[in-house]
């Protein structure tokens, strides 16, 4: 066995595309992703709404760009830590 072992946090889905968490690290990554999204939303979108102000377009754009960046990083880590390939899977079908 090599000194570097793979520590997979996700397994490919049986139906459809993607992966699901199989360890506490996978679930922790999902929790961190959700927390980061909430921090981004509360930090950029809620302060204006709470004070009765109209949302500034730059804050909405920053939220959208932040969401895209966080999501891209989340998907990259998920693919990196998946035990197998992400592809479309049909059960009981020849591939």
């Amino acid at each position: 066995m090599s000194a570097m072992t793979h520590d997979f946090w996700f397994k490919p889905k049986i139906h459809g595309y993607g992966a699901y968490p199989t360890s506490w690290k996978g679930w922790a990554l999902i929790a961190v992703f959700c927390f980061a999204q909430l921090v981004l939303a509360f930090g950029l979108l809620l302060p204006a709404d709470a004070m009765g102000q109209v949302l500034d377009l730059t804050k909405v754009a920053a939220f959208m760009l932040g969401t895209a960046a966080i999501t891209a990083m989340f998907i990259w880590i998920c693919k990196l830590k998946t035990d197998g390939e992400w592809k479309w899977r049909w059960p009981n079908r020849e591939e």
Side-chain angles (χ1 to χ4, degrees), residues 23-38:
S23 74
W24 70 268
K25 293 177 184 177
W27 286 107
L29 181 65
I30 292 171
V32 167
F33 171 74
C34 293
F35 181 73
Q37 284 295 115
L38 285 173

Side-chain angles (χ1 to χ4, degrees), residues 44-55:
L44 290 174
L45 301 179
L46 282 184
D49 189 38
M51 295 186 304
Q53 299 172 346
V54 177
L55 279 176

Side-chain angles (χ1 to χ4, degrees), residues 8-15 17-23 26 78-79 81-86 89:
F8 295 112
W9 304 348
F10 298 90
K11 287 211 182 260
K13 291 172 66 174
I14 296 170
H15 307 284
Y17 186 81
Y20 62 93
T22 57
S23 74
C78 287
K79 281 189 169 190
K81 291 297 192 174
T82 297
D83 184 17
E85 181 184 3
W86 280 27
R89 289 181 169 78

